[in-house]
Amino acid sequence: MDKTLITVEVSVKADLEKVWKCWTNPADIMAWNHASDDWHCPAAVNNLKAGGSFNYRMAAKDGSFAFDFEGIYDQVIPHHLITYTLLDGRKVRIEFSEEGAVTDVKESFEAESENPAEMQQMGWQMILNNFKAHTEKQASS
């Protein structure tokens, strides 16, 4: 069975160096990595290298539910490309490209089978929108 590939994108008003830092630094990840205001990312571990692993704790702020979002990096080309495999075997690809004062982030991932593709796309896009807001705030301070 072919896997459904979903792509989300955002244009960030910040240079590539700042975008890369905010995407990969655990303290920044904990600030932006949530789909809605009633969720948060209370812990993030990131060993950003091919063969390295990451683990982001995703939790409802009311304590009702939590899970670990984790995987192994397949490829890391600083400031350009990150690919990884989630523990359930799904593949993710993130591309970074800078044009002037804007950096585009394009994230493609294989959908899981438990939730509708539209819901997954919306959730990942909301996280990416939070990333944009956080990074632009960091860039302007």
Side-chain angles (χ1 to χ4, degrees), residues 16-132:
L16 184 55
E17 189 72 35
K18 177 63 75 174
V19 168
W20 185 262
K21 177 196 167 289
C22 289
W23 189 270
T24 59
N25 178 45
D28 287 298
I29 293 165
M30 291 184 336
W32 60 259
N33 192 23
H34 57 277
S36 62
D37 289 340
D38 54 343
W39 278 74
H40 65 147
C41 180
V45 176
N46 193 21
N47 183 12
L48 185 68
K49 65 180 183 181
S53 64
F54 66 90
N55 182 317
Y56 307 151
R57 185 72 177 161
M58 311 293 285
K61 287 182 178 177
D62 67 5
S64 64
F65 189 76
F67 66 94
D68 290 325
F69 183 81
E70 54 189 325
I72 306 292
Y73 290 109
D74 299 313
Q75 186 178 20
V76 177
I77 302 173
H79 303 99
H80 296 289
L81 177 70
I82 296 171
T83 64
Y84 60 83
T85 302
L86 294 168
L87 291 190
D88 65 7
R90 293 182 298 132
K91 302 284 189 181
V92 180
R93 177 183 183 92
I94 306 116
E95 299 171 66
F96 302 83
S97 59
E98 185 178 37
E99 191 166 323
V102 174
T103 301
D104 292 324
V105 180
K106 179 179 177 182
E107 190 171 22
S108 300
F109 64 96
E110 294 174 342
E112 41 92 349
S113 56
E114 293 180 23
N115 296 292
E118 299 78 24
M119 178 188 287
Q120 294 176 63
Q121 182 171 11
M122 187 173 68
W124 284 55
Q125 184 66 56
M126 290 167 67
I127 292 170
L128 203 52
N129 292 347
N130 286 334
F131 168 76
K132 171 185 167 71

